Amino acid sequence: MFEEKGVNKILYGGDYNPEQWDEETRDEDMVLLPKAGVDIVTLNVFSWAKLQPAEKVYDFSDLDSIVKKVTAAGMKICMGTATAAYPAWMAKKYPDILRVDFEGRKLKFGKRHNACPNSPTYRKFSPHLARKLAEHYKNQDNIVIWHINNEYGGSCYCENCEKAFREWLKNKYKTLDALNDAWNTPFWSHTFYDWDEIVLPNALTEYQYGSKKSQLPGISLDYMRFNSDSILQNYIDERDAIRSEIPDALCTTNMMNAFKGLDYRKWAKEIDIASWDNYPQRFTEPHYDAFAHELIRGLKGGKPFMLMEQSPSVTNWLPINSLKRPGEMRRYSYVAAAHGADTIMFFQMRQAPASAEMYHGAIIDHSGRDDTRIFKEISALGEELKALKDNTLGGKAHAECAIIFDWDNWWALEDTPGIPDTVKYLDEVLKYYRALYESSISVDIIGSEDDLSKYKLVIAPTYYMVCENTVKRFEEYVEKGGNLIFTFISGYVDENGHILRGGYPGTLKKLIGARIEETDQLYENMESFECEGVRIPEKIVESHNSFKYKGTEYPAHIVCDIVYPEEAEALAGFMSDFYKGQPAITKNCLGKGCTYYVATSSEARFYAEFIADICDYAGIKDVFDKAPVPVNSWNGIEIAARDKGDIRIYYIINHTNEEKELEFPYEGEELLSQEKVIKGQKLKLSPVDVKLIKVASRD
Ligand code: GLA
Ligand code: ZN
């Protein structure tokens, strides 16, 4: 990704905040960091107050001195724009920069990631600083990429945002009639006769009793879109300011996993190289970690991305922050690489001397030593990455299967009253992803608008919101031989959140070949709660339903759609209640392909079985070119692959603390040990170990 900048290995390093340190410490770092194998540092992420001590004063002298040292030490730079935390004087002089929270409270100066995205002050000063930085450092050749802001997020409900929201709505709907229609405002007398009557949806307006569900879903859905767009505009402001000085500057911002607040798919169009921050904890399951990498990879059509941050050891922001065990930092690093990362970067280089993150892990800890466990593990990985050279760079996954993940759908599904709180979009997506991951099947995570034609199977979990245009593309895809899976509560509403006429699953009916009349929402192990005067008892343990698929009984959780097949055939039926015998899974063929509908949510062993069947039917192979078999109990060995031309690199990762063995089906070379691998060789994997095997031909 940075070949033009002379980079021919996985870049290794990360956030370096020397503003906090004296010259002597900085000089020590210039020796210690290269010693650990660090060859890139991210600078200037939070230095705004230093760079601009007063409105008309810019002072880059300290940053200049840091840049000079880093350059002399031979390191590359990922240059921050410092706009994720504004100076205190700015908040005092221009309070429009302060956000108003969901409860309607005007915030004061404090924390970070705190600017109102529609503040005229922020929109003036942040691109101005970015432009000044670009102007100042445009000839600094070791800057490989610009890191704009930091982990954008949050929302604001101030008057400037309210005004901007009205403009955004005018631009989208043109007339109030169109807006009233889109939000179905005759309901509860919400008809708007003037744009200025529209107010932002928050706790003071459409959300009552602490509920997360809006009483006017249309406005809330548009607010989510608007807020994401507003913050994206902040990114664009800075990016364009940088480009005005350096027309070919690469720009990114560090994303955060499946982050609900921002439509990353839309953001990705404005970003040159996707990057993200990965903070798995001891309870993070391996498939979830892999999914997150693949989600980010999918944002830029499968191109390699940057792992911008991870902790070398411990985080500091959870009530309990556990250590990464020996070998785990290395393993997480290769998991990222396995799924498309071409940089391995950390927060942070040196542990802070005080403040909120002083106990967060770093390569150099408070002792300043180079013989700590962490320093030694970091250095060892640094050596390994040097030896790997450019072997893994640029490789892409070859996936025959895709899962659709859409932000609009996420917002509409979870924020609309009547859809049970127990429906969690991400969880449903992960259930399908896990079955594929544990079977070592490559998957792309895509958006509804992405090209489907290269996939043999596309899975669209809880595909609640459907656009006219998408349906046509889905139908074409299936008619030409594609296979589609939809799951419960799919095909309910259009892009405005309006019910699709003619009953569920709306415009997906031709594909699914069945109608859904009712949906039974299941109480399962729910804690007691009270809502609008109705009290749900202490704990309801109502048995879930179940269904039989190929002779085996599986639990039905969360909801059961009551499905009436028309053209479709039933593959499984519910086993109890008044809809006993009604299908839990259907299959409907159209042209050369088929659509499956799974009317409920179940558990891992069902997905393992079902996905293996569908993949077999669709002709999908695992990364070893074998037809998948159901994985009912995963052995903890992750196998992923990246292709570069005819060369394939296999990443074999032991997620257990046990010795494992794996028969490798091809001839190749293990890149970390540089040992030959013979076809059929039984590879020994020590606990938490990783092997990278380069294979030239898979005959
Ligand atoms: C985030 C931020 C960093 C730092 C780390 C700590 O990813 O981007 O500035 O706060 O978390 O884990
Ligand atoms: Zn605001």
Side-chain angles (χ1 to χ4, degrees):
M1 61 177 62
F2 302 123
E3 297 86 353
E4 282 167 22
K5 296 273 178 185
V7 175
N8 51 12
K9 68 173 280 289
I10 293 181
L11 283 176
Y12 193 54
D15 281 43
Y16 180 46
N17 303 305
E19 305 75 27
Q20 313 166 78
W21 293 104
D22 50 31
E23 288 301 314
E24 200 188 327
T25 313
R26 292 175 183 183
D27 289 337
E28 263 173 46
D29 293 340
M30 293 308 106
V31 177
L32 288 172
L33 295 176
K35 191 169 176 190
V38 167
D39 49 25
I40 183 166
V41 285
T42 304
L43 297 178
N44 200 38
V45 179
F46 291 105
S47 328
W48 198 345
K50 264 210 162 167
L51 300 172
Q52 194 181 358
E55 183 160 352
K56 299 219 161 56
V57 185
Y58 285 87
D59 177 2
F60 294 169
S61 56
D62 192 46
L63 185 56
D64 281 346
S65 128
I66 296 163
V67 165
K68 219 167 146 190
K69 282 188 203 289
V70 163
T71 307
M75 293 186 267
K76 304 276 185 218
I77 296 171
C78 169
M79 184 58 100
T81 60
T83 53
Y86 46 73
W89 63 258
M90 199 178 281
K92 182 173 165 223
K93 187 158 181 202
Y94 300 107
D96 67 279
I97 204 167
L98 300 162
R99 285 183 180 175
V100 168
D101 74 5
F102 185 74
E103 272 73 38
R105 297 172 299 190
K106 176 83 176 166
L107 302 180
K108 291 189 176 186
F109 178 73
K111 302 190 284 287
R112 60 171 175 175
H113 303 151
N114 49 2
C116 160
N118 291 296
S119 143
T121 302
Y122 188 71
R123 293 206 55 196
K124 175 178 149 196
F125 284 121
S126 62
H128 195 68
L129 177 60
R131 196 183 59 71
K132 285 220 161 251
L133 284 162
E135 184 187 24
H136 193 77
Y137 293 112
K138 65 175 150 203
N139 297 320
Q140 190 65 43
D141 291 338
N142 57 336
I143 296 180
V144 293
I145 192 161
W146 288 77
H147 175 300
I148 294 177
N149 204 284
N150 188 71
E151 294 192 338
Y152 279 110
S155 48
C156 180
Y157 301 88
C158 76
E159 282 183 10
N160 283 322
C161 284
E162 199 153 77
K163 281 186 205 138
F165 185 45
R166 292 172 191 147
E167 290 310 310
W168 185 94
L169 292 169
K170 270 185 213 166
N171 193 32
K172 175 172 179 183
Y173 292 107
K174 312 290 187 244
T175 67
L176 273 173
D177 282 351
L179 175 140
N180 280 311
D181 185 43
W183 295 354
N184 193 33
T185 53
F187 180 79
W188 285 357
S189 193
H190 268 49
T191 308
F192 296 108
Y193 293 102
D194 189 332
W195 294 97
D196 290 349
E197 292 160 8
I198 299 167
V199 292
L200 293 173
N202 66 3
L204 306 180
T205 62
E206 299 296 353
Y207 291 81
Q208 57 185 4
Y209 314 123
S211 167
K212 296 248 159 41
K213 306 251 181 182
S214 173
Q215 299 296 301
L216 185 57
I219 195 174
S220 296
L221 181 59
D222 273 336
Y223 175 77
M224 293 299 279
R225 291 166 171 154
F226 156 77
N227 186 56
S228 175
D229 283 0
S230 298
I231 303 177
L232 175 57
Q233 188 56 49
N234 294 160
Y235 170 86
I236 294 172
D237 287 350
E238 289 194 38
R239 182 205 58 194
D240 291 352
I242 294 168
R243 290 262 169 83
S244 71
E245 294 294 332
I246 315 168
D248 60 351
L250 292 175
C251 296
T252 189
T253 187
N254 44 348
M255 297 180 172
M256 298 172 283
N257 201 334
F259 178 70
K260 193 172 173 185
L262 303 177
D263 182 349
Y264 281 161
R265 220 169 276 295
K266 201 165 177 192
W267 276 63
K269 297 193 173 100
E270 308 296 338
I271 282 169
D272 299 315
I273 295 174
S275 73
W276 84 288
D277 301 342
N278 187 23
Y279 288 97
Q281 300 293 327
R282 289 201 75 67
F283 46 79
T284 307
E285 293 178 282
H287 73 272
Y288 179 67
D289 198 31
F291 168 81
H293 289 302
E294 295 189 339
L295 174 73
I296 302 296
R297 185 187 75 207
L299 297 175
K300 294 297 285 179
K303 288 196 199 133
F305 59 87
M306 296 176 74
L307 176 65
M308 187 64 90
E309 293 180 24
Q310 64 174 346
S311 175
S313 56
V314 68
T315 55
N316 72 313
W317 33 262
L318 281 169
I320 309 286
N321 300 279
S322 51
L323 297 173
K324 281 184 179 161
R325 270 43 190 172
E328 288 184 350
M329 177 281 296
R330 174 177 181 263
R331 184 179 66 196
Y332 280 121
S333 303
Y334 283 118
V335 169
H339 296 285
D342 272 1
T343 72
I344 305 292
M345 294 163 72
F346 299 88
F347 181 88
Q348 53 185 335
M349 299 298 97
R350 183 184 273 272
Q351 213 167 14
S355 308
E357 293 188 328
M358 64 182 175
Y359 295 119
H360 195 288
I363 293 179
I364 306 165
D365 72 12
H366 289 144
S367 74
R369 300 174 68 107
D370 61 2
D371 59 355
T372 60
R373 172 178 77 90
I374 301 306
F375 194 93
K376 286 195 279 190
E377 284 191 37
I378 292 279
S379 309
L381 180 57
E383 282 302 313
E384 248 176 36
L385 298 183
K386 263 182 219 157
L388 260 185
K389 303 196 201 90
D390 64 349
N391 265 299
T392 60
L393 295 184
K396 283 187 168 190
H398 171 72
E400 297 177 316
C401 172
I403 298 181
I404 292 183
F405 189 88
D406 260 356
W407 270 261
D408 266 339
N409 190 59
W410 193 359
W411 297 332
L413 179 75
E414 290 185 3
D415 301 349
T416 305
I419 304 294
D421 289 9
T422 42
V423 174
K424 301 277 180 239
Y425 183 48
L426 184 56
D427 288 356
E428 294 310 312
V429 168
L430 283 168
K431 285 175 187 171
Y432 286 85
Y433 179 79
R434 179 179 176 180
L436 292 157
Y437 165 87
E438 293 185 351
S439 306
S440 312
I441 295 171
S442 293
V443 193
D444 282 345
I445 310 298
I446 62 168
S448 301
E449 275 146 41
D450 288 334
D451 176 21
L452 307 180
S453 65
K454 53 181 172 183
Y455 302 109
K456 293 178 175 167
L457 171 66
V458 174
I459 308 173
T462 48
Y463 203 68
Y464 172 70
M465 176 175 271
V466 190
C467 306
E468 196 59 48
N469 189 23
T470 316
V471 180
K472 287 200 198 93
R473 291 177 46 250
F474 282 172
E475 286 177 358
E476 247 176 61
Y477 167 69
V478 172
E479 275 162 2
K480 287 190 181 146
N483 296 285
L484 255 177
I485 300 176
F486 292 111
T487 79
F488 61 92
I489 315 193
S490 283
Y492 275 40
V493 299
D494 68 11
E495 58 267 43
N496 291 324
H498 266 230
I499 290 297
L500 293 161
R501 296 289 172 85
Y504 319 132
T507 44
L508 298 179
K509 191 140 170 264
K510 184 171 164 196
L511 281 163
I512 293 171
R515 76 192 167 79
I516 290 118
E517 208 171 275
E518 295 174 283
T519 296
D520 194 17
Q521 306 185 3
L522 308 176
Y523 286 111
E524 285 179 80
N525 298 318
M526 290 205 55
E527 296 301 324
S528 73
F529 66 90
E530 204 167 315
C531 182
E532 307 223 16
V534 180
R535 214 180 94 74
I536 309 288
E538 269 315 285
K539 195 161 182 151
I540 301 179
V541 188
E542 194 175 280
S543 65
H544 50 68
N545 208 317
S546 61
F547 61 93
K548 222 176 214 169
Y549 174 66
K550 291 191 2 193
T552 307
E553 186 175 342
Y554 297 101
H557 292 299
I558 303 179
V559 299
C560 298
D561 280 342
I562 306 180
V563 181
Y564 295 85
E566 291 177 350
E567 293 79 21
E569 59 170 304
L571 299 185
F574 288 116
M575 297 189 67
S576 55
D577 223 313
F578 74 95
Y579 47 91
K580 180 176 174 182
Q582 219 95 12
I585 307 171
T586 60
K587 172 182 181 178
N588 185 45
C589 294
L590 188 74
K592 293 187 189 148
C594 297
T595 303
Y596 298 84
Y597 191 76
V598 183
T600 187
S601 189
S602 193
E603 60 185 34
R605 64 192 172 95
F606 162 69
Y607 296 103
E609 191 73 40
F610 180 63
I611 284 297
D613 285 348
I614 307 297
C615 285
D616 192 31
Y617 175 80
I620 292 171
K621 301 277 194 289
D622 67 14
V623 288
F624 286 151
D625 306 301
K626 286 204 297 242
V629 284
V631 177
N632 287 319
S633 140
W634 187 51
N635 64 1
I637 305 293
E638 172 173 352
I639 311 165
R642 286 175 71 179
D643 293 351
K644 213 170 19 168
D646 293 337
I647 305 275
R648 174 171 281 190
I649 310 254
Y650 283 96
Y651 296 76
I652 301 175
I653 300 161
N654 185 355
H655 283 275
T656 74
N657 290 321
E658 294 154 28
E659 211 43 71
K660 293 273 176 181
E661 203 176 74
L662 175 112
E663 186 175 317
F664 193 75
Y666 312 110
E667 190 182 290
E669 186 200 346
E670 206 288 314
L671 295 171
L672 303 174
S673 61
Q674 287 161 6
E675 280 168 13
K676 283 248 160 309
V677 175
I678 315 164
K679 188 170 176 161
Q681 184 174 326
K682 296 228 164 36
L683 297 175
K684 292 235 175 316
L685 286 146
S686 26
V688 302
D689 201 10
V690 175
K691 296 214 182 294
L692 264 62
I693 304 179
K694 183 171 171 179
V695 170
S697 143
R698 304 206 304 282
D699 296 332

